[in-house]
Amino acid sequence: MTTYEELTADKKVRVALHRDVNKICTDTCHYNGFSINSGPMAIVAGLVYKKLITYGLDLEAFAKHASRSTITTDDVKLLVRRNPSLLKLVRSKSKIAQVQKRRISTPNSKLESKQKKPKVNQMEIEKNYNPSLPSTSNG
């Protein structure tokens, strides 16, 4: 029997995908009052895996076409352009991420103004880096 650690990365992805698809199928069927066999769940997991592989290749192609090595939000929007509800979701998530990024990169000016900045004597700094300068302290 093969242990999880011995599996290749591809096989680990497939195992995780099958586990998640099985959970989603089971929960959805239970919620709607019917059951599902493991055969159809395996077929759904296989279809999802193939679709994700296609999505990955498409995203790589979009980035490469734009002479980039990084996949961006614009690539994802291009990928989901034919699915209006998914495109709407991606756009809203993108806007939320941009707002959060701005909040992180823009410091709060009220907090900055309350913090005391240490006064620095330029002559002391220069003396520390150049010991040949005369000392300004009275000691």
Side-chain angles (χ1 to χ4, degrees):
M1 178 127 199
T2 305
T3 63
Y4 183 77
E5 290 78 24
E6 295 171 344
L7 295 175
T8 64
D10 180 63
K11 292 284 185 186
K12 287 180 182 179
V13 169
R14 284 178 181 255
V15 166
L17 183 64
H18 277 267
R19 180 198 63 224
D20 293 345
V21 167
N22 286 347
K23 174 88 170 108
I24 292 168
C25 288
T26 303
D27 291 350
T28 303
C29 288
H30 177 74
Y31 178 77
N32 291 312
F34 56 93
S35 62
I36 187 168
N37 294 330
S38 60
M41 285 191 285
I43 292 170
V44 170
L47 292 171
V48 170
Y49 180 79
K50 288 179 181 180
K51 191 66 171 178
L52 290 175
I53 294 296
T54 303
Y55 281 173
L57 294 172
D58 287 348
L59 288 169
E60 287 177 355
F62 296 155
K64 187 175 180 180
H65 180 73
S67 301
R68 288 183 276 105
S69 60
T70 303
I71 295 170
T72 65
T73 308
D74 290 334
D75 298 324
V76 177
K77 289 176 186 174
L78 184 61
L79 180 72
V80 300
R81 70 190 178 278
R82 292 191 180 111
N83 185 333
S85 61
L86 192 53
L87 181 59
K88 183 179 177 182
L89 178 69
V90 169
R91 284 181 176 159
S92 70
K93 295 286 185 184
S94 174
K95 287 178 185 177
I96 291 169
Q98 287 174 352
V99 168
Q100 289 174 340
K101 188 176 181 180
R102 271 190 241 124
R103 285 182 185 163
I104 291 170
S105 64
T106 307
N108 190 340
S109 60
K110 290 181 181 180
L111 288 176
E112 280 186 350
S113 63
K114 290 182 180 181
Q115 295 174 347
K116 291 185 178 181
K117 295 179 181 175
K119 293 183 179 180
V120 179
N121 182 342
Q122 187 64 31
M123 194 63 173
E124 285 298 318
I125 292 173
E126 290 174 6
K127 185 185 124 245
N128 287 337
Y129 289 105
N130 188 353
S132 64
L133 291 174
S135 176
T136 59
S137 60
N138 293 334

